[in-house]
Amino acid sequence: MKKFCLGIESTAHTWGVGIVDFKGEVHTLINDTFIPEKGGLHPALVREHHLNNFAKIIDKALLEANLSIKDINLVAFSQSPGLAPVLKIGALVARMLSQILKVPLVGVNHCIAHVEIGRLMCKIEDPLTLYVSGGNTIISAYESNRYQIFGETLDLAVGNMIDSFARDAGLSHPGGPKIEKLALRSKKYIQLPYIVKGMDLSFSGIYTAAKRLIESPDFNNKYNLNDVANSLQETAFAMLTEVTERALAHTEIKEVLLTGGVAANKRLQQMIQYISDEHDARFEVVPLKYAGDNGAMIAWTGILRYLSEGGHEMTETIIKPKERMDNITVPWRLEKKT
Ligand code: AMP
Ligand code: MG
């Protein structure tokens, strides 16, 4: 008989529920994403949104998978990293379900889950992963029983930087796809701060400089929004590509995985494809349904951890808003590679 894990994603804007069987087949994935009317993600408003919708989305997921809540054998939830008030809701609902259903509970690191769903969906064994989203910018690969971080942002996540600039330019949330469209209309490059420190990245300088460009008297005179969008993408993506390439050269890994919401961007895909080809590495973009935040990635990673070391005790399921992916061992990879 098939066994099922219900996974809950609740680190930021998305309340996601996924149901995955222990063999890795995804039976459903339902996302309910909070979109702010104006400004960024206010944790209190996101929390309200998730509190109002969690039961409805769980019901919808069960209905779509043609399952009853009693068919669930394992509950997994995003335990780290994320916005504390929002993480708490996922943890609370997951603990409650596990106690009512009397099934084991597993807490999952959101960043590791992005890598694992990518490995599953792209049938990739041992990738170097570039994870670029609204909340994270991380280049990681497996080494010594952990997903080690080779490079990361020192300030803003790249998606957040693009969204913030887009908002300043009067575009609605999420700004990423709109900036991509505008950038396609320009070939002009205006120099912006290119900040790579060692293997780490900083995006706040690009944000400030791009904002100044659209506030300047030269705007719509010497250059327009398409030119700024193009320059912003070219600079930010070249920085990501440089660090990814250096990690590739250092590790000699032969597979590259691009994931997170920003993975949808064709220009970024093109740049990472280029360096992958240069290093004879296979390049895969995680299918977009699974690249953004979702409950299926939490369910699948929960299954992997449960099968290798069992469920977590209730006392181990406290949320960890700042936990890094390289702080956690991934025992399910041990059998394959040491
Ligand atoms: P996530 O945080 O993984 O759910 O992804 C959301 C982020 O992806 C937001 O910052 C979006 O603006 C960004 N995003 C989505 N599509 C694109 C795109 N085509 N180009 C750049 N960024 C994008
Ligand atoms: Mg994410």
Side-chain angles (χ1 to χ4, degrees):
M1 215 170 68
K2 271 190 182 152
K3 288 181 123 192
F4 298 97
C5 176
L6 183 143
I8 296 174
E9 158 58 27
S10 172
T11 57
H13 51 26
T14 299
W15 177 266
V17 175
I19 301 177
V20 180
D21 70 38
F22 279 31
K23 299 249 183 284
E25 187 187 335
V26 176
H27 291 255
T28 184
L29 172 166
I30 310 267
N31 280 343
D32 188 28
T33 300
F34 171 77
I35 298 183
E37 276 175 30
K38 60 179 181 115
L41 282 185
H42 195 301
L45 295 180
V46 189
R47 192 187 59 172
E48 246 352 80
H49 172 267
H50 291 1
L51 274 174
N52 289 337
N53 295 301
F54 78 84
K56 203 164 59 193
I57 301 301
I58 292 174
D59 280 347
K60 209 166 154 188
L62 288 165
L63 192 71
E64 195 181 280
N66 202 15
L67 293 170
S68 136
I69 192 76
K70 296 201 186 97
D71 297 320
I72 300 300
N73 307 96
L74 177 67
V75 175
F77 72 103
S78 50
Q79 186 175 14
S80 64
L83 303 171
V86 182
L87 281 169
K88 269 185 202 156
I89 299 172
L92 181 75
V93 172
R95 287 184 199 189
M96 193 181 72
L97 279 178
S98 135
Q99 292 190 39
I100 291 175
L101 300 173
K102 299 188 173 44
V103 299
L105 178 63
V106 184
V108 167
N109 176 281
H110 174 96
C111 307
I112 293 179
H114 271 292
V115 175
E116 290 304 341
I117 199 77
R119 290 178 64 226
L120 177 72
M121 291 300 157
C122 299
K123 301 193 170 45
I124 227 170
E125 193 50 49
D126 184 30
L128 177 77
T129 304
L130 173 58
Y131 164 36
V132 273
S133 72
N136 292 283
T137 304
I138 299 176
I139 294 111
S140 69
Y142 179 81
E143 205 176 272
S144 310
N145 199 22
R146 280 162 206 262
Y147 285 112
Q148 307 289 353
I149 296 178
F150 285 85
E152 62 192 314
T153 182
L154 298 168
D155 43 43
L156 300 174
V158 64
N160 185 14
M161 183 275 286
I162 299 174
D163 291 342
S164 302
F165 169 75
R167 203 177 305 126
D168 295 336
L171 304 169
S172 61
H173 188 85
K178 289 148 203 152
I179 293 292
E180 178 175 26
K181 272 208 189 97
L182 297 180
L184 283 172
R185 299 187 195 145
S186 166
K187 291 227 175 324
K188 186 166 180 157
Y189 180 73
I190 307 160
Q191 197 161 358
L192 291 171
Y194 183 105
I195 306 170
V196 175
K197 296 180 181 175
M199 288 291 278
D200 292 331
L201 306 132
S202 162
F203 293 103
S204 57
I206 302 184
Y207 168 68
T208 312
K211 187 167 183 282
R212 282 207 189 115
L213 282 177
I214 58 169
E215 290 165 354
S216 146
D218 290 334
F219 185 52
N220 284 334
N221 182 12
K222 293 188 178 157
Y223 54 82
N224 60 26
L225 187 56
N226 300 342
D227 303 327
V228 182
N230 180 52
S231 309
L232 178 136
Q233 279 202 168
E234 289 301 302
T235 313
F237 296 167
M239 286 162 52
L240 291 167
T241 305
E242 179 193 329
V243 175
T244 307
E245 180 171 29
R246 276 201 271 141
L248 205 51
H250 170 77
T251 56
E252 297 181 352
I253 285 175
K254 289 294 166 209
E255 295 165 321
V256 179
L257 197 60
L258 178 60
T259 192
V262 186
N265 191 289
K266 293 277 185 299
R267 179 63 180 138
L268 179 61
Q269 292 178 9
Q270 193 184 33
M271 288 191 188
I272 304 296
Q273 172 84 62
Y274 183 85
I275 54 149
S276 303
D277 290 349
E278 288 276 296
H279 289 265
D280 289 326
R282 176 180 151 210
F283 172 59
E284 294 287 342
V285 182
V286 176
L288 295 183
K289 190 171 160 193
Y290 297 105
D293 294 351
N294 67 85
M297 70 182 194
I298 302 296
W300 176 236
T301 312
I303 292 168
L304 292 173
R305 184 164 303 278
Y306 176 72
L307 291 179
S308 50
E309 56 181 20
H312 282 138
E313 295 295 329
M314 205 50 75
T315 51
E316 295 171 316
T317 58
I318 188 157
I319 58 155
K320 297 174 181 170
K322 298 229 176 289
E323 186 163 67
R324 293 164 60 86
M325 72 195 297
D326 57 1
N327 198 33
I328 305 168
T329 56
V330 287
W332 58 90
R333 293 284 311 259
L334 272 178
E335 300 108 51
K336 300 269 166 67
K337 192 182 166 188
T338 49

